């Protein structure tokens, strides 16, 4: 009780008006740091990893010890081949031989320079925990630089950001093998069978420096785990374009939980795991309440074009460790457009695993890639469930890191999976329409319309250019990329039409 009374005093001084609500919220335990505590009995009961081939080294045996829940193993890559003629030249193939490791569920590769590109192929094999079965080689999406904070923003200039592949979900695993091969674009096309005949191909470019394999264990849902919350990182620097930043930059993990929940207090009870769906009438009443001080008399009298609010799983609902992210929130001015993405993390997940998948992506974005929080504003699974992404409030214009060059005045929606060759589910497309009908409606935007956004600089639109875009656009409309995949991109017309209908247009 004395600890609770001490926390009550701290919260009253640090977050003011949210203190009473914070005390009503059960203290949310953390996802644990990689080596921060002894392994509890529940984790020690995990089956030991199966014997590796070849025999494990002492360092492999240490890595194979039971994992602390919610952790990241970061393993430096080794040269796999060298040019015999110039043995001192950088290796064009790096990786890791087959080895036993602590439990993990998601993989990715990072490197030092966020502006460097990995030209080549990344492939991984993993061993399923419990059965000892090794997967075949799986490709990891290498072109991921287009998912990032805008140039010249504090998040981009923090000094923590790294280059990275997209993450790949592999499920509970305890063994790994990796190979990264440098390839010129022409040789990659040849290997894919796009050209024929004999010709001189350009030399493969060097691989980026500082390559590391990231193995992410999502840990348990915070509501079911125990221990001390990680300290949230202090915010770095002033925000560009007058985006707001909350004052308290050194909140404890507990108050970070309160902070993340308080920003949705107008929509759901404090500490809620889900924001409930509303009817059209209830949504219109909510719209008028949220915009009471901004609407003209004419707008107050007119029928609002806003879709019924869908149900949204909150960060607390998917078990976010609020101590991982940077403290405070950053906002842009408004929401004029929605960019649709796919996570390129594979489709081999069950909908019951989605909280773990999102916790893994969150940890990868923050701990491995160096971002202030998960990059997307919302995530949608293949069963059509919608999840809150970056903290700051689902109805607010939270500044994300999803579409390099166009994060301002927009929101990013990521459909979990890879949709280059796989069709998105009807449920997922419907969820995109329902979410955009509501969120864009709050800002009086027609989902079937066009809008102008000013580019902050991308490989498709120069910095400062005003670009005319669909209000609901694919990531590839703002950046030269395959995202959100050909099959999902082809469904955006349907999503626009459905969203407009949900708004009553």
């Amino acid at each position: 009780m004395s600890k609770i009374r001490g926390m009550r005093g701290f919260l009253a001084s640090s977050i003011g008006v949210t203190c009473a609500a914070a005390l009503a919220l059960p203290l949310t335990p953390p996802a644990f740091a990689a080596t921060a505590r002894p392994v509890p009995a529940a984790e020690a009961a995990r089956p030991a990893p199966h014997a590796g081939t070849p025999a494990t080294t002492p360092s492999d045996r240490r890595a194979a010890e039971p994992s602390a829940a919610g952790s990241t193993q970061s393993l430096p890559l080794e040269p796999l081949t060298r040019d015999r003629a110039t043995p001192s030249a950088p290796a064009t193939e790096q990786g890791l031989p087959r080895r036993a490791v602590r439990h993990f569920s998601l993989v990715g590769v990072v490197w030092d320079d966020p502006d460097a590109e990995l030209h080549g192929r990344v492939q991984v094999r993993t061993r399923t925990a419990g059965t000892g079965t090794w997967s075949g080689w799986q490709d990891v999406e290498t072109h991921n630089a287009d998912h990032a904070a805008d140039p010249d923003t504090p998040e981009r200039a923090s000094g923590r950001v790294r280059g990275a592949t997209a993450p790949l979900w592999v499920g509970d695993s305890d063994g790994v093998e990796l190979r990264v091969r440098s390839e010129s674009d022409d040789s990659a096309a040849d290997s894919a069978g796009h050209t024929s005949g004999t010709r001189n191909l350009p030399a493969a470019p060097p691989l980026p420096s500082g390559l590391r394999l990231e193995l992410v264990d999502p840990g348990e849902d915070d509501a079911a785990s125990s221990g001390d919350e990680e300290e949230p990182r202090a915010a770095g620097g002033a925000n560009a374009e007058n985006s707001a930043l909350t004052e308290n930059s050194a909140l404890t993990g507990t108050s970070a939980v309160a902070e993340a929940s308080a920003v949705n207090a107008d929509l759901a009870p404090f500490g809620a795991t889900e924001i409930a769906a509303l009817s059209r009438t209830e949504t219109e009443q909510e719209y008028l309440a949220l915009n009471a001080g901004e609407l003209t008399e004419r707008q107050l009298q007119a029928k609002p074009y806003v879709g019924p609010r869908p149900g949204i799983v909150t960060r607390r609902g998917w078990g976010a460790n609020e101590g991982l992210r940077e403290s405070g929130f950053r906002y842009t001015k408004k929401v004029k457009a929605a960019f649709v993405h796919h996570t390129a993390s594979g489709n081999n997940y069950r909908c019951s695993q989605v909280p773990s998948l999102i916790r893994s992506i969150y940890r990868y974005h923050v701990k491995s890639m160096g971002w202030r929080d998960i990059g997307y504003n919302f995530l949608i699974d293949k069963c059509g469930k919608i999840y809150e992404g970056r903290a700051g409030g689902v109805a607010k214009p939270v500044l994300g890191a999803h579409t390099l060059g166009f994060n301002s005045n927009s929101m990013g929606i990521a459909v979990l999976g890879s949709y280059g060759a796989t069709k998105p589910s009807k449920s997922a497309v419907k969820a995109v329409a329902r979410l955009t009908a509501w969120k864009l409606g709050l800002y009086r935007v027609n989902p079937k319309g066009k809008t102008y956004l000013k580019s902050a600089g991308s490989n498709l639109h120069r910095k400062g250019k005003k670009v005319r875009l669909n209000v609901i656009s694919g990531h590839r409309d703002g950046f030269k990329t395959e995202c959100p995949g050909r099959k999902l991109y082809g469904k955006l017309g349907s999503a626009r039409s459905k969203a407009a209908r949900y708004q009553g247009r």
Side-chain angles (χ1 to χ4, degrees):
M1 289 299 294
S2 61
K3 288 182 68 178
I4 294 176
R5 284 194 294 269
M7 183 59 71
R8 180 183 292 115
F10 174 79
L11 290 174
S13 62
S14 63
I15 56 175
V17 297
T18 63
C19 64
L23 290 168
L25 176 68
L27 297 182
T28 301
F32 303 97
T35 57
R37 58 167 177 81
V39 178
E43 289 180 31
R46 272 181 168 173
H50 297 268
T53 305
T56 56
T57 65
S59 61
D60 289 335
R61 287 195 294 271
R62 286 195 296 272
E65 293 171 358
S67 168
S71 63
T72 301
Q73 301 169 71
S74 187
L75 308 177
L77 303 196
E78 307 166 0
L80 297 182
T81 59
R82 285 196 181 275
D83 188 337
R84 294 182 180 179
T86 55
S88 61
T92 57
E93 185 172 5
Q94 295 185 34
L96 291 173
R98 184 183 298 193
R99 64 178 62 190
V101 293
R102 299 196 308 266
H103 284 243
F104 67 96
S105 296
L106 179 139
V107 305
V109 173
V110 301
W111 53 91
D112 294 338
D113 184 359
D115 295 319
E117 295 186 29
L118 196 163
H119 295 280
R121 193 173 189 184
V122 176
Q123 293 181 301
V124 67
R125 299 180 65 208
T126 57
R127 184 175 59 193
T128 302
T131 68
T133 303
W134 281 90
S135 72
W137 287 105
Q138 300 183 76
D139 286 304
V140 180
E141 175 57 58
T142 59
H143 299 293
N144 193 49
D146 44 318
H147 299 78
D150 287 341
D152 304 321
T153 59
E155 183 169 6
R156 181 73 175 186
S158 68
R160 296 187 298 265
V161 179
R162 304 177 189 91
T165 67
L168 178 68
W169 175 260
V170 294
D172 190 18
S173 304
D174 61 10
V176 69
E177 182 177 3
L178 178 79
R179 60 192 185 198
V180 180
R181 293 173 176 166
S182 175
E183 296 178 349
S184 67
D185 292 339
D186 287 341
S187 63
D190 277 4
S191 65
H194 294 307
T195 61
S196 59
T198 302
R199 60 190 181 92
N200 294 325
L201 295 173
L207 291 170
S209 62
L211 287 167
R212 303 181 72 89
L213 173 64
E214 304 288 290
L215 304 175
V216 180
D217 176 1
E220 301 296 326
D221 185 321
D222 271 6
S225 57
S226 61
D228 295 326
E229 186 78 44
E230 292 189 43
E231 293 290 331
R233 299 201 317 263
N239 194 356
E241 61 159 322
N242 299 317
S243 298
L245 174 65
T246 54
E247 294 178 359
N248 302 299
S249 61
L251 297 171
T252 66
T254 302
S255 56
V257 173
E259 177 190 54
S261 188
V263 288
N264 288 319
D266 289 338
L267 310 180
F270 195 87
T273 58
E274 185 167 358
I275 297 169
L278 297 181
S279 67
R280 177 178 297 279
T281 299
E282 291 170 329
T283 303
E284 290 175 356
Q285 293 171 348
E286 177 190 74
Y287 165 83
L288 294 174
L290 292 174
N291 294 277
E294 302 176 13
L295 298 176
T296 65
E297 188 63 31
R298 183 176 179 180
Q299 288 172 327
L300 286 169
Q301 297 299 322
K303 177 180 172 61
Y305 289 108
V306 56
R309 189 181 76 193
I312 302 171
V313 177
T314 65
R315 290 171 65 90
R316 183 168 174 80
W318 54 260
N321 175 356
E322 298 297 350
L324 289 181
R325 64 176 174 84
E326 190 175 284
S327 61
F329 313 123
R330 286 195 167 94
Y331 299 99
T332 185
K333 294 177 181 178
K334 62 183 74 173
V335 178
K336 297 172 62 179
F339 285 99
V340 178
H341 305 255
H342 68 169
T343 56
S345 52
N347 302 311
N348 295 323
Y349 68 88
R350 300 187 303 274
C351 291
S352 61
Q353 295 176 313
V354 168
S356 293
L357 173 53
I358 296 177
R359 289 198 302 275
S360 297
I361 294 173
Y362 172 41
R363 179 172 278 272
Y364 184 70
H365 281 183
V366 175
K367 289 294 189 182
S368 300
M369 298 178 67
W371 294 358
R372 73 184 316 272
D373 194 351
I374 193 169
Y376 308 111
N377 298 105
F378 296 93
L379 302 99
I380 293 172
D381 67 23
K382 57 189 175 185
C383 293
K385 186 167 285 189
I386 301 169
Y387 300 81
E388 179 183 14
R390 180 164 288 207
V394 297
K396 299 179 186 292
V398 178
L399 180 66
H402 48 82
T403 307
L404 181 62
F406 292 97
N407 290 304
S408 293
N409 296 329
S410 72
M411 65 174 180
I413 302 168
V415 180
L416 294 162
S418 302
Y419 299 102
T422 301
K423 289 182 179 180
S425 69
K426 292 181 180 179
S427 296
V429 176
K430 181 179 179 181
V432 170
R434 292 172 62 227
L435 175 59
T436 52
W438 172 69
K439 184 67 180 275
L440 292 171
L442 294 180
Y443 294 87
R444 300 177 288 283
V445 176
N446 183 349
K448 287 188 72 175
K450 304 282 187 179
T451 191
Y452 283 91
L453 293 179
K454 186 177 180 180
S455 173
S458 75
N459 64 0
L460 197 58
H461 303 289
R462 60 174 174 78
K463 183 177 180 179
K465 180 181 179 181
K466 290 186 177 181
V467 182
R468 188 170 185 260
L469 295 161
N470 287 309
V471 164
I472 299 178
S473 283
H475 187 181
R476 62 174 64 183
D477 295 317
F479 198 99
K480 188 177 180 182
T481 175
E482 292 299 313
C483 184
R486 180 172 59 88
K487 296 291 189 178
L488 177 54
Y489 188 77
K491 295 294 184 180
L492 295 188
S494 173
R496 294 182 195 109
S497 298
K498 288 179 180 177
R501 288 198 297 271
Y502 287 136
Q503 284 190 349
R505 296 182 186 272

